[in-house]
Amino acid sequence: MGRTPLSSADDSQPTPPADVTLRSDVTVELVKSSASDADVLFAARVSTLGEQSIGELQKDPERSRGLINYLMRDRHGSPFEHNSMTFLISAPIFVFREFMRHRVGWSYNEESGRYRELQPVFYVPDESRKLVQEGRPGKYVFVEGTSDQHATVQRVLTETYEQAYAAYQKLLAEGVAREVARATLPVGLYSSMYATCNARSLMHFLGLRTQHELAKVPSFPQREIEMVGERMEAEWARLMPLTHAAFNANGRVAP
């Protein structure tokens, strides 16, 4: 079956490149939380104190540092679930596709290309991003790219984004539904979402999506999702410093 042009009136005229915004960062904002080290303690001590364990919320968690470490070390995980953190994250779509692999203990709501016109904000790695993969799957490393490679990446991605967003705008101008027109857009487009988790699910995420010298189990995350993980970890460490310290002291393995 032949293909019908979207518009035959000006097919001879090239579509001008769209104005796009290029970014190399991610943003993470803690918008809501109910999370403290005391939450771990009252949940753990209900097994021996019953309803009296609620009194642990009023006590200084520093006095029970050893209990938190014991729970982490021996992998008694459920006491670390009685808390909540909600983050607003802005990152390229390919980062969110990796996020969705984390399902237990996570809730997500992402902006929708069906219901709003997507903005021309796209990801281009800066010169700190290692570009070249060496080795075979499961045993590879990334190394620095040359200045020429970085220039090529920036030029090619920018041209691709301009063409893709111009095509998106063309379809919208033709009256095509947003949910169809968005098919022209690449995964380097920025999106935003709310992500809610508890400390246990976040620890599992960090164990897989960040590299750290204290980790017992090696991880090989893509750098862009690691950038998100690092910012989430900084917020969590502020809310639950004893739990975070125990996580590090015990090899960054989720209980």
Side-chain angles (χ1 to χ4, degrees), residues 36-46 67 71 75-83 198-200 203 240 243 255:
S36 71
D37 292 315
D39 295 328
V40 179
L41 298 172
F42 93 87
R45 287 188 167 135
V46 71
L67 175 56
L71 295 169
R75 306 193 72 183
H76 297 290
S78 58
F80 297 100
E81 297 176 3
H82 295 269
N83 55 83
N198 59 57
R200 189 184 192 185
M203 284 186 276
M240 304 179 70
T243 303

Side-chain angles (χ1 to χ4, degrees), residues 8 10 13 73 80 115 119 137 144 176 237 239:
S8 58
D10 58 354
Q13 300 299 320
R73 184 192 69 220
F80 297 100
Y115 304 123
Q119 298 305 299
E144 305 292 340
V176 175
L239 293 170

Side-chain angles (χ1 to χ4, degrees), residues 25 30 60 67 78 93 99 150 166 190 196 212 239:
D25 66 326
L30 180 68
D60 180 7
L67 175 56
S78 58
I93 286 175
F99 249 105
H150 277 282
Y190 272 74
T196 299
H212 198 283
L239 293 170

Side-chain angles (χ1 to χ4, degrees), residues 58-129:
Q58 311 305 322
K59 294 181 180 179
D60 180 7
E62 280 282 356
R63 297 175 57 187
S64 299
R65 180 191 295 267
L67 175 56
I68 291 176
N69 190 70
Y70 159 75
L71 295 169
M72 190 76 69
R73 184 192 69 220
D74 285 18
R75 306 193 72 183
H76 297 290
S78 58
F80 297 100
E81 297 176 3
H82 295 269
N83 55 83
S84 177
M85 293 164 279
T86 298
F87 299 92
L88 175 61
I89 302 167
S90 174
I93 286 175
F94 64 79
V95 171
F96 292 167
R97 298 296 81 82
E98 289 197 333
F99 249 105
M100 302 308 175
R101 299 180 67 83
H102 298 267
R103 298 179 296 276
V104 178
W106 287 87
S107 297
Y108 304 107
N109 281 95
E110 185 182 351
E111 68 175 279
S112 173
R114 298 184 67 192
Y115 304 123
R116 69 181 300 245
E117 183 176 331
L118 299 171
Q119 298 305 299
V121 183
F122 295 92
Y123 175 75
V124 173
D126 63 21
E127 292 195 357
S128 68
R129 177 59 157 96

Side-chain angles (χ1 to χ4, degrees), residues 165-181:
Y165 200 77
Y168 175 65
Q169 290 292 305
K170 182 177 179 63
L171 291 177
L172 293 180
E174 293 282 343
V176 175
R178 288 184 291 266
E179 65 182 44
V180 177

Side-chain angles (χ1 to χ4, degrees), residues 223-237:
R223 177 55 189 155
E224 288 75 15
I225 197 170
E226 184 179 37
M227 290 160 59
V228 174
E230 289 168 349
R231 288 157 177 77
M232 296 173 74
E233 182 171 0
E235 295 288 354
W236 170 55

